[in-house]
Amino acid sequence: MTQTTDAPGTPDATAAEPFHPIPRPHSDGAARRAIAHATAEVHDRALQIRAAPEEHKPKLVLSQHVRGTSLLDKIADAVNKVCGSMWVFLFITIGIVAWLFLGNIVGFDKTPWPLLLTILNLPQLSIMISLQVSANRAQAASDRRALADHETLIALHEMAKQQLDMLRSQDQVLDILDNFASKDMPGRQRQIQDTVNQILAAVQPEQG
């Protein structure tokens, strides 16, 4: 099952456990099944996060976390790495341009370059399939990142709601204090002063 991991090197005062790398899935199919399973449990996971949003830890999701470790997946990694290299692009482009001129000059493939067109058309089907494989892998990584970001956004949203509730409670307390200070206190002060005057009036004749 594909899992996400905390960003290495990120300080965490609450976590005492050391960082352990999470194993990659066995295949791209296993990664997609894990994503489908996590998607089906989004509602339950959201309830858990809302119950204790402060305990949620953001996850770092990289493309390598959803890449399989089987032989076919390793071949796909190699193909994607080679086909996506700018050096390969430059090599093929320079080779085609050189072929166009040398084919006519040397005479091994003159205009309209039938040999060159045949060579270029042969691998098109394989290239199209490799592009689709790359797209599927990118989509799997994007889906896993979306799930991790969704969980983090739920936690942030819940904590923001808690902060707003605290601010509203503080406003209510301040209103009570303001009401007490502006309305009740003057009346109580007058009552206290009248009581003091009565006590002084009662005490002073006795002293006299």
Side-chain angles (χ1 to χ4, degrees), residues 4 8 14 28 36 53 63 69 75 85 92-94 105 107 111 114 119 133 141 146 153 160 169 181-182 184 188 190:
T4 55
T14 62
D28 288 348
S63 298
T69 57
I75 294 175
S85 173
I92 293 177
T93 302
I94 295 173
I105 296 174
T111 308
I119 294 174
V133 171
L153 289 175
S169 300
S182 61
D184 294 341
R188 290 181 180 274
R190 286 192 296 271

Side-chain angles (χ1 to χ4, degrees), residues 16-202:
E17 297 181 358
F19 171 76
H20 297 286
I22 298 177
R24 292 164 55 180
H26 176 67
S27 63
D28 288 348
R32 289 192 294 270
R33 287 191 295 271
I35 292 173
H37 179 71
T39 303
E41 295 183 345
V42 166
H43 179 69
D44 295 337
R45 180 60 180 156
L47 293 178
Q48 295 176 0
I49 294 174
R50 289 190 177 99
E54 67 281 358
E55 297 180 1
H56 174 73
K57 296 181 180 180
K59 305 296 182 180
L60 173 65
V61 181
L62 303 177
S63 298
Q64 64 184 8
H65 296 149
V66 296
R67 292 177 183 171
T69 57
S70 65
L71 178 61
L72 289 178
D73 295 313
K74 292 180 179 179
I75 294 175
D77 288 336
V79 171
N80 291 336
K81 184 176 181 180
V82 172
C83 293
S85 173
M86 281 300 299
W87 292 108
V88 175
F89 170 78
L90 291 175
F91 176 77
I92 293 177
T93 302
I94 295 173
I96 291 175
V97 173
W99 188 297
L100 295 177
F101 289 99
L102 294 178
N104 286 318
I105 296 174
V106 179
F108 62 88
D109 189 21
K110 296 184 178 181
T111 308
W113 307 284
L115 180 59
L116 176 62
L117 294 177
T118 302
I119 294 174
L120 293 178
N121 287 330
L122 286 176
Q124 284 188 5
L125 180 59
S126 298
I127 293 174
M128 291 175 60
I129 295 175
S130 67
L131 290 175
Q132 186 59 47
V133 171
S134 299
N136 291 340
R137 289 175 153 227
Q139 181 180 359
S142 178
D143 291 342
R144 175 56 73 177
R145 293 189 188 100
L147 289 171
D149 292 344
H150 181 66
E151 293 180 357
T152 301
L153 289 175
I154 290 176
L156 292 175
H157 177 67
E158 196 65 25
M159 287 189 288
K161 289 169 57 179
Q162 293 177 358
Q163 291 178 349
L164 290 175
D165 291 339
M166 293 174 60
L167 291 175
R168 293 191 186 98
S169 300
Q170 291 176 358
D171 290 339
Q172 293 176 357
V173 172
L174 291 175
D175 291 338
I176 293 173
L177 293 176
D178 180 69
N179 183 60
F180 179 77
S182 61
K183 297 180 180 178
D184 294 341
M185 282 301 294
R188 290 181 180 274
Q189 288 177 352
R190 286 192 296 271
Q191 182 180 0
I192 294 171
Q193 186 64 42
D194 292 340
T195 303
V196 171
N197 292 335
Q198 292 176 3
I199 295 173
L200 292 176

